[in-house]
Amino acid sequence: MSANKRVERSIGKIVIVITGTPGTGKTSVSRRLVEEINGLHIDVSRYVIDNRIYTGYDEYRRSYIIDEEKLIEKLESIIRESNKPVVIDIHYPEILDPNMVDYIIILRTNPLELEKRLSKRKDWPLHKIKENVMAEILGVVTSNVLEHYPEEKVYEIDTTNKNIEEIVREIIAIIRGKRKSSMKKWIDWLELIGPKILDKHGEY
Ligand SMILES: Nc1ncnc2c1ncn2[C@@H]1O[C@H](COP(=O)(O)OP(=O)(O)O)[C@@H](O)[C@H]1O
Ligand SMILES: [Mg+2]
């Protein structure tokens, strides 16, 4: 039996949310993860555009305004109908029903590294890069997730200096119950790097 088959058999049909600030690696990690567990990957940003699940376009943010009700309905029906593990790659996971989700994995990236990655997005204006780097500094995704999901379903992974393979291995260890939830010890970049990180990002 291949390693893939073994993981697949032991995990069955589960729903894994891969979340994090844009640029933290959600899509790269999800793609590799579904290969490993024979899962179904929904890249929600892509899915919203491909299926026109939006009500308009926010010029300032350069992003679509999603039709939340329709999106939730679609995602819930995909989850219901799938007989494989479902990996939902999304940066606003608080729209999902927490009862439908088994694991929420938050990818975190050192804001200085994240800024380098986001600066490569040619279509992103500076204010959008800054807004997202600031969201990572402040842990906005984690705090939204913790308001919405029971803590025991939530895991953070510091992806800084890790390659995709290593991150996927960590996620599989979580699914197999080899890593417990962080339980109140969440990543705090202000504590880890110090307030000097705000110097570059304080102004808008
Ligand atoms: N662990 C990693 N190490 C180095 N580069 C990464 C890592 N994860 C993602 N990247 C790179 O960062 C960029 C953003 O990754 P992506 O998967 O698109 O993030 P997201 O889907 O969260 O916006 C891509 O260019 C990707 O190749
Ligand atoms: Mg993505």
Side-chain angles (χ1 to χ4, degrees):
M1 204 192 307
S2 73
N4 285 4
K5 276 267 176 288
R6 274 198 302 275
V7 175
E8 186 191 328
R9 188 175 280 186
S10 59
I11 64 175
K13 178 181 170 173
I14 55 170
V15 177
I16 306 165
V17 168
I18 305 292
T19 191
T21 308
T24 51
K26 297 182 294 297
T27 303
S28 317
V29 167
S30 300
R31 278 195 191 127
R32 189 67 198 94
L33 177 63
V34 292
E35 283 174 12
E36 208 52 50
I37 64 175
N38 185 27
L40 175 69
H41 172 201
I42 316 290
D43 174 349
V44 173
S45 324
R46 189 76 261 149
Y47 185 81
V48 162
I49 296 169
D50 291 349
N51 295 281
R52 299 175 180 247
I53 309 174
Y54 46 78
T55 54
Y57 186 77
D58 180 336
E59 283 294 342
Y60 181 75
R61 289 216 152 76
R62 307 260 176 111
S63 59
Y64 286 94
I65 302 154
I66 58 160
D67 181 341
E68 216 174 285
E69 220 171 291
K70 189 168 165 197
L71 177 60
I72 294 167
E73 212 174 274
K74 293 259 192 193
L75 292 175
E76 290 187 350
S77 108
I78 292 172
I79 292 172
R80 261 195 314 276
E81 283 161 28
S82 173
N83 46 24
K84 290 173 162 192
V86 181
V87 173
I88 303 178
D89 155 8
I90 184 168
H91 83 265
Y92 37 86
E94 55 278 9
I95 69 162
L96 300 166
D97 174 355
N99 296 315
M100 293 193 92
V101 175
D102 299 291
Y103 299 91
I104 303 104
I105 315 282
I106 308 169
L107 305 182
R108 303 297 306 272
T109 305
N110 183 315
L112 298 170
E113 162 71 17
L114 186 68
E115 188 190 27
K116 282 188 210 151
R117 285 196 207 157
L118 293 179
S119 301
K120 290 185 191 143
R121 296 192 170 175
K122 295 285 172 245
D123 51 336
W124 275 37
L126 189 60
H127 70 79
K128 184 165 177 172
I129 297 170
K130 285 191 167 198
E131 186 180 320
N132 281 285
V133 171
M134 187 55 91
E136 180 60 22
I137 293 174
L138 300 176
V140 170
V141 172
T142 301
S143 93
N144 289 344
V145 164
L146 290 172
E147 261 178 38
H148 188 71
Y149 290 94
E151 229 172 72
E152 60 273 17
K153 291 188 178 182
V154 184
Y155 297 78
E156 280 187 322
I157 297 179
D158 181 357
T159 68
T160 319
N161 304 320
K162 286 181 192 151
N163 62 34
I164 303 296
E165 295 302 318
E166 291 170 303
I167 300 162
V168 167
R169 273 206 298 279
E170 256 189 72
I171 296 172
I172 290 176
I174 289 168
I175 297 166
R176 292 180 144 177
K178 296 208 170 98
R179 201 192 118 180
K180 293 284 166 247
S181 181
S182 314
M183 298 311 274
K184 296 194 171 70
K185 184 62 195 151
W186 309 101
I187 292 169
D188 178 353
W189 296 121
L190 282 169
E191 186 190 304
L192 292 169
I193 305 171
K196 73 174 180 352
I197 194 152
L198 288 171
D199 294 352
K200 273 180 80 181
H201 300 284
E203 326 129 21
Y204 277 81

